[in-house]
Amino acid sequence: MTVSGFTFNAFSENTYLLHDATGQCVIIDPGCYERAEQEALRSFIEEQGLQVVLLLNTHCHIDHVFGNQFVVDTYKVPFLIHEADLATLRSVPAYAPSYGFARYTPAEPTGFLTPGEPLRFGETELEVRFAPGHAPGHVVFYHAPSSTVIGGDVLFQSSIGRTDLPGGDHATLIASIKSQLLTLPDETVVYPGHGPATTIGQERRTNPFLK
């Protein structure tokens, strides 16, 4: 499995594409708001000859959902989130204009993710792990064969997700990190929702929030 990333919007949010040898592709947290960002995503998919088959959100804060409707309209694919983050998703239109994003177009999920239930595309199987604390319905996607986890806003390089937003809780977030991420092998690469990739081992050793 290959991970391709883009950094989009004013929040410098990381959007990820997962694809394998079959050419099938999953888009996670499309943050593309501006037309140029949308076209960059579309052009990459066309140039790589990828077939988009699924749209996923790790969680539904504004910076991670800007491009949901664009992906749904362009590729006509199922859109899945954890049900506990549905209220988070539906709250975005109310505050998007005050953040300067008056052109945000909401998309409704077509189904819900079930932690522990395999998520398959092409030759690839992802494990869905429930990791609330930053958002009530936050999940991460783990691919054991490539030692990869798409972590959203749970764990960053030398930092952790903020917990001062509605539905956030610091103790819950720390518990999620310890049970859902630090239980993974040290060599596991964490692709976060913001900033550079890191590894479980590095964060276990050096992250000041996990001491």
Side-chain angles (χ1 to χ4, degrees):
M1 185 189 76
T2 300
V3 180
S4 299
F6 293 83
T7 300
F8 288 140
N9 69 56
F11 298 94
S12 295
E13 182 269 350
N14 293 331
T15 294
Y16 294 108
L17 279 66
L18 310 184
H19 43 107
D20 64 19
T22 68
Q24 290 198 356
C25 170
V26 171
I27 299 176
I28 301 179
D29 293 352
C32 44
Y33 177 76
E34 301 293 345
R35 184 176 298 276
E37 295 175 335
Q38 296 171 354
E39 288 305 315
L41 185 66
R42 192 209 311 262
S43 294
F44 178 85
I45 290 167
E46 290 178 357
E47 290 165 3
Q48 297 297 314
L50 301 178
Q51 176 194 3
V52 180
V53 296
L54 192 59
L55 167 62
L56 305 172
N57 285 166
T58 59
H59 67 296
C60 298
H61 288 149
I62 185 170
D63 48 331
H64 292 254
V65 304
F66 280 132
N68 282 345
Q69 190 62 51
F70 168 75
V71 171
V72 170
D73 287 345
T74 304
Y75 301 106
K76 309 295 190 290
V77 292
F79 165 35
L80 307 179
I81 67 171
H82 191 285
E83 190 169 11
D85 236 37
L86 185 58
T88 306
L89 178 66
R90 289 178 171 171
S91 71
V92 176
Y95 69 81
S98 66
Y99 277 60
F101 299 102
R103 291 183 288 105
Y104 167 71
T105 304
E108 278 287 303
T110 58
F112 299 110
L113 297 162
T114 302
E117 194 171 285
L119 197 61
R120 299 183 178 90
F121 69 97
E123 301 172 339
T124 302
E125 181 175 295
L126 302 175
E127 179 186 344
V128 181
R129 293 184 163 218
F130 185 47
H134 174 70
H138 202 302
V139 296
V140 301
F141 302 103
Y142 176 52
H143 184 244
S146 65
S147 298
T148 301
V149 63
I150 308 299
D153 289 1
V154 175
L155 181 65
F156 302 118
Q157 186 181 79
S158 299
S159 190
I160 60 174
R162 59 187 295 181
T163 56
D164 58 338
L165 298 172
D169 182 82
H170 181 78
T172 300
L173 178 64
I174 296 298
S176 292
I177 293 171
K178 290 182 175 179
S179 65
Q180 301 303 317
L181 291 177
L182 295 189
T183 52
L184 300 176
D186 278 358
E187 65 270 20
T188 305
V189 178
V190 181
Y191 290 94
H194 305 269
T198 185
T199 65
I200 293 296
Q202 178 179 335
E203 298 314 307
R204 192 195 312 278
R205 293 188 301 270
T206 66
N207 193 306
F209 295 92
L210 302 179
K211 299 300 182 183

